[in-house]
Short mmCIF file of all heavy atoms in Angstrom, two decimals:
data_model
loop_
_atom_site.label_atom_id
_atom_site.label_comp_id
_atom_site.label_asym_id
_atom_site.label_seq_id
_atom_site.Cartn_x
_atom_site.Cartn_y
_atom_site.Cartn_z
N MET A 25 2.21 13.74 24.10
CA MET A 25 1.78 13.89 22.71
C MET A 25 2.15 15.24 22.18
O MET A 25 2.25 16.19 22.88
CB MET A 25 0.26 13.72 22.62
CG MET A 25 -0.19 12.31 22.29
SD MET A 25 -1.92 12.16 21.86
CE MET A 25 -2.67 12.77 23.41
N SER A 26 2.33 15.34 20.89
CA SER A 26 2.73 16.60 20.19
C SER A 26 1.63 17.61 20.33
O SER A 26 0.46 17.29 20.50
CB SER A 26 3.12 16.37 18.79
OG SER A 26 2.02 15.78 18.12
N ASN A 27 1.98 18.90 20.17
CA ASN A 27 1.10 20.02 20.42
C ASN A 27 -0.11 19.94 19.55
O ASN A 27 -1.32 20.07 20.04
CB ASN A 27 1.80 21.34 20.12
CG ASN A 27 2.88 21.54 21.14
OD1 ASN A 27 2.87 20.94 22.23
ND2 ASN A 27 3.83 22.38 20.80
N LEU A 28 0.05 19.62 18.28
CA LEU A 28 -1.05 19.60 17.27
C LEU A 28 -2.15 18.60 17.79
O LEU A 28 -3.35 18.92 17.69
CB LEU A 28 -0.56 19.30 15.91
CG LEU A 28 -1.65 19.33 14.80
CD1 LEU A 28 -2.30 20.68 14.70
CD2 LEU A 28 -0.99 19.06 13.46
N LEU A 29 -1.68 17.46 18.16
CA LEU A 29 -2.71 16.41 18.66
C LEU A 29 -3.40 16.95 19.88
O LEU A 29 -4.56 16.58 20.05
CB LEU A 29 -1.94 15.13 18.89
CG LEU A 29 -1.54 14.39 17.68
CD1 LEU A 29 -0.65 13.12 18.01
CD2 LEU A 29 -2.72 13.90 16.82
N ASP A 30 -2.72 17.59 20.81
CA ASP A 30 -3.30 18.04 22.03
C ASP A 30 -4.46 19.10 21.75
O ASP A 30 -5.36 19.18 22.57
CB ASP A 30 -2.21 18.64 22.96
CG ASP A 30 -1.61 17.59 23.80
OD1 ASP A 30 -2.33 16.55 24.06
OD2 ASP A 30 -0.45 17.80 24.32
N VAL B 35 3.28 6.87 20.88
CA VAL B 35 2.51 6.64 19.60
C VAL B 35 1.22 5.81 19.93
O VAL B 35 0.17 6.12 19.43
CB VAL B 35 3.44 5.86 18.58
CG1 VAL B 35 2.57 5.48 17.36
CG2 VAL B 35 4.58 6.71 18.14
N ALA B 38 -1.16 8.35 21.32
CA ALA B 38 -1.86 9.10 20.29
C ALA B 38 -2.95 8.24 19.53
O ALA B 38 -4.04 8.65 19.29
CB ALA B 38 -0.83 9.60 19.21
N GLY B 53 -6.64 19.99 9.67
CA GLY B 53 -5.35 20.65 10.12
C GLY B 53 -4.32 19.57 10.36
O GLY B 53 -3.11 19.74 10.02
N LEU B 54 -4.76 18.46 10.95
CA LEU B 54 -3.79 17.32 11.24
C LEU B 54 -3.29 16.78 9.90
O LEU B 54 -2.07 16.46 9.76
CB LEU B 54 -4.51 16.27 12.03
CG LEU B 54 -3.65 15.02 12.34
CD1 LEU B 54 -2.67 15.25 13.38
CD2 LEU B 54 -4.53 13.81 12.65
N MET B 55 -4.18 16.66 8.95
CA MET B 55 -3.67 16.21 7.59
C MET B 55 -2.65 17.12 7.01
O MET B 55 -1.72 16.61 6.41
CB MET B 55 -4.97 16.00 6.71
CG MET B 55 -5.89 14.91 7.10
SD MET B 55 -7.49 14.93 6.27
CE MET B 55 -6.99 14.45 4.59
N ASP B 56 -2.89 18.38 7.18
CA ASP B 56 -1.86 19.41 6.71
C ASP B 56 -0.53 19.08 7.35
O ASP B 56 0.50 19.08 6.76
CB ASP B 56 -2.32 20.79 6.93
CG ASP B 56 -3.52 21.30 5.99
OD1 ASP B 56 -3.61 20.67 4.99
OD2 ASP B 56 -4.15 22.22 6.39
N GLY B 57 -0.66 18.85 8.72
CA GLY B 57 0.65 18.57 9.44
C GLY B 57 1.25 17.29 8.97
O GLY B 57 2.49 17.22 8.93
N LEU B 58 0.51 16.32 8.65
CA LEU B 58 1.00 15.01 8.18
C LEU B 58 1.74 15.21 6.81
O LEU B 58 2.81 14.72 6.62
CB LEU B 58 -0.13 14.05 7.93
CG LEU B 58 -0.40 13.04 9.03
CD1 LEU B 58 -1.67 12.20 8.73
CD2 LEU B 58 0.72 12.03 9.28
N LYS B 59 1.11 16.05 5.93
CA LYS B 59 1.78 16.26 4.63
C LYS B 59 3.12 16.89 4.84
O LYS B 59 4.11 16.55 4.26
CB LYS B 59 0.87 17.17 3.81
CG LYS B 59 -0.28 16.53 3.09
CD LYS B 59 -0.91 17.50 2.06
CE LYS B 59 -1.71 18.57 2.80
NZ LYS B 59 -2.58 19.34 1.78
N GLU B 60 3.14 17.91 5.72
CA GLU B 60 4.39 18.65 5.94
C GLU B 60 5.44 17.73 6.53
O GLU B 60 6.64 17.78 6.16
CB GLU B 60 4.07 19.79 6.96
CG GLU B 60 4.91 21.01 6.83
CD GLU B 60 4.53 22.06 7.88
OE1 GLU B 60 3.36 22.44 7.80
OE2 GLU B 60 5.41 22.41 8.68
N SER B 61 5.05 16.94 7.52
CA SER B 61 6.03 16.05 8.15
C SER B 61 6.57 15.01 7.11
O SER B 61 7.76 14.72 7.08
CB SER B 61 5.38 15.18 9.29
OG SER B 61 4.93 16.07 10.29
N CYS B 211 5.31 3.44 13.61
CA CYS B 211 3.87 3.44 13.94
C CYS B 211 3.40 2.05 13.66
O CYS B 211 4.00 1.29 12.97
CB CYS B 211 3.27 4.49 12.96
SG CYS B 211 1.46 4.58 13.04
N LEU B 215 -1.03 2.21 7.46
CA LEU B 215 -1.04 3.38 6.53
C LEU B 215 0.14 3.28 5.54
O LEU B 215 1.16 2.65 5.82
CB LEU B 215 -0.91 4.69 7.27
CG LEU B 215 -2.02 5.06 8.25
CD1 LEU B 215 -1.80 6.31 8.99
CD2 LEU B 215 -3.35 5.07 7.56
N ASN B 263 -7.69 7.59 13.91
CA ASN B 263 -6.74 7.21 14.98
C ASN B 263 -5.36 6.78 14.44
O ASN B 263 -4.35 7.02 15.00
CB ASN B 263 -7.44 6.10 15.83
CG ASN B 263 -8.57 6.60 16.61
OD1 ASN B 263 -9.56 6.95 15.97
ND2 ASN B 263 -8.41 6.73 17.88
N MET B 264 -5.45 6.15 13.24
CA MET B 264 -4.11 5.77 12.59
C MET B 264 -3.36 6.97 12.27
O MET B 264 -2.16 7.14 12.31
CB MET B 264 -4.37 4.88 11.43
CG MET B 264 -4.73 3.41 11.77
SD MET B 264 -3.51 2.44 12.75
CE MET B 264 -1.99 2.71 11.81
N TYR B 265 -4.08 8.02 11.77
CA TYR B 265 -3.50 9.29 11.37
C TYR B 265 -2.88 9.96 12.61
O TYR B 265 -1.80 10.55 12.52
CB TYR B 265 -4.48 10.22 10.68
CG TYR B 265 -4.83 9.94 9.24
CD1 TYR B 265 -4.80 8.63 8.74
CD2 TYR B 265 -5.24 10.92 8.44
CE1 TYR B 265 -5.16 8.36 7.44
CE2 TYR B 265 -5.56 10.71 7.07
CZ TYR B 265 -5.53 9.39 6.56
OH TYR B 265 -5.91 9.15 5.30
N TYR B 266 -3.58 9.93 13.72
CA TYR B 266 -3.07 10.47 14.97
C TYR B 266 -1.60 9.82 15.33
O TYR B 266 -0.71 10.46 15.63
CB TYR B 266 -3.95 10.15 16.19
CG TYR B 266 -5.27 10.77 16.29
CD1 TYR B 266 -6.26 10.30 17.13
CD2 TYR B 266 -5.56 11.96 15.63
CE1 TYR B 266 -7.54 10.85 17.25
CE2 TYR B 266 -6.85 12.55 15.74
CZ TYR B 266 -7.76 12.01 16.54
OH TYR B 266 -9.03 12.58 16.69
N ALA B 267 -1.75 8.49 15.31
CA ALA B 267 -0.52 7.69 15.68
C ALA B 267 0.64 8.07 14.73
O ALA B 267 1.81 8.24 15.13
CB ALA B 267 -0.81 6.26 15.69
N PHE B 268 0.30 8.08 13.40
CA PHE B 268 1.37 8.30 12.43
C PHE B 268 1.93 9.71 12.54
O PHE B 268 3.14 9.92 12.51
CB PHE B 268 0.71 8.12 10.99
CG PHE B 268 1.76 7.90 9.95
CD1 PHE B 268 3.00 7.31 10.18
CD2 PHE B 268 1.48 8.29 8.62
CE1 PHE B 268 3.85 7.03 9.18
CE2 PHE B 268 2.40 8.09 7.60
CZ PHE B 268 3.62 7.46 7.87
N TYR B 269 1.11 10.68 12.88
CA TYR B 269 1.56 12.07 13.05
C TYR B 269 2.55 12.02 14.24
O TYR B 269 3.64 12.67 14.15
CB TYR B 269 0.37 13.05 13.33
CG TYR B 269 0.88 14.43 13.51
CD1 TYR B 269 1.11 15.22 12.40
CD2 TYR B 269 1.14 14.90 14.78
CE1 TYR B 269 1.62 16.53 12.54
CE2 TYR B 269 1.61 16.22 14.88
CZ TYR B 269 1.90 16.97 13.84
OH TYR B 269 2.39 18.28 13.96
N GLU B 270 2.16 11.40 15.32
CA GLU B 270 3.06 11.36 16.50
C GLU B 270 4.38 10.69 16.16
O GLU B 270 5.51 11.16 16.59
CB GLU B 270 2.33 10.63 17.61
CG GLU B 270 3.09 10.67 18.94
CD GLU B 270 3.26 11.99 19.59
OE1 GLU B 270 2.47 12.88 19.26
OE2 GLU B 270 4.18 12.06 20.47
N ALA B 271 4.30 9.57 15.44
CA ALA B 271 5.55 8.79 15.09
C ALA B 271 6.46 9.70 14.24
O ALA B 271 7.71 9.77 14.46
CB ALA B 271 5.19 7.59 14.38
N LEU B 272 5.85 10.37 13.28
CA LEU B 272 6.72 11.29 12.45
C LEU B 272 7.26 12.50 13.30
O LEU B 272 8.41 12.93 13.12
CB LEU B 272 5.85 11.89 11.30
CG LEU B 272 5.43 10.82 10.26
CD1 LEU B 272 4.42 11.45 9.20
CD2 LEU B 272 6.64 10.17 9.55
N ALA B 273 6.44 13.00 14.22
CA ALA B 273 6.92 14.11 15.07
C ALA B 273 8.19 13.67 15.89
O ALA B 273 9.12 14.38 16.10
CB ALA B 273 5.76 14.54 15.98
N LEU B 274 8.13 12.36 16.34
CA LEU B 274 9.27 11.87 17.12
C LEU B 274 10.54 11.84 16.28
O LEU B 274 11.65 12.13 16.70
CB LEU B 274 8.96 10.49 17.70
CG LEU B 274 7.91 10.50 18.82
CD1 LEU B 274 7.42 9.05 19.12
CD2 LEU B 274 8.42 11.19 20.10
N ILE B 275 10.34 11.39 15.00
CA ILE B 275 11.52 11.36 14.06
C ILE B 275 12.03 12.75 13.77
O ILE B 275 13.28 13.02 13.83
CB ILE B 275 11.07 10.69 12.76
CG1 ILE B 275 10.85 9.18 12.97
CG2 ILE B 275 12.08 10.96 11.61
CD1 ILE B 275 10.41 8.44 11.79
N LEU B 276 11.15 13.74 13.58
CA LEU B 276 11.59 15.12 13.24
C LEU B 276 12.27 15.73 14.44
O LEU B 276 13.10 16.55 14.36
CB LEU B 276 10.36 15.89 12.72
CG LEU B 276 9.87 15.45 11.34
CD1 LEU B 276 8.62 16.20 11.01
CD2 LEU B 276 10.91 15.52 10.25
#
Side-chain angles (χ1 to χ4, degrees):
Chain A
M25 265 191 299
S26 58
N27 293 341
L28 183 57
L29 286 172
D30 272 336
Chain B
V35 175
L54 178 76
M55 290 167 72
D56 289 339
L58 263 175
K59 280 191 289 190
E60 207 182 302
S61 299
C211 173
L215 298 178
N263 293 67
M264 286 299 308
Y265 283 28
Y266 291 161
F268 198 30
Y269 182 83
E270 182 69 17
L272 294 172
L274 290 169
I275 288 177
L276 294 173

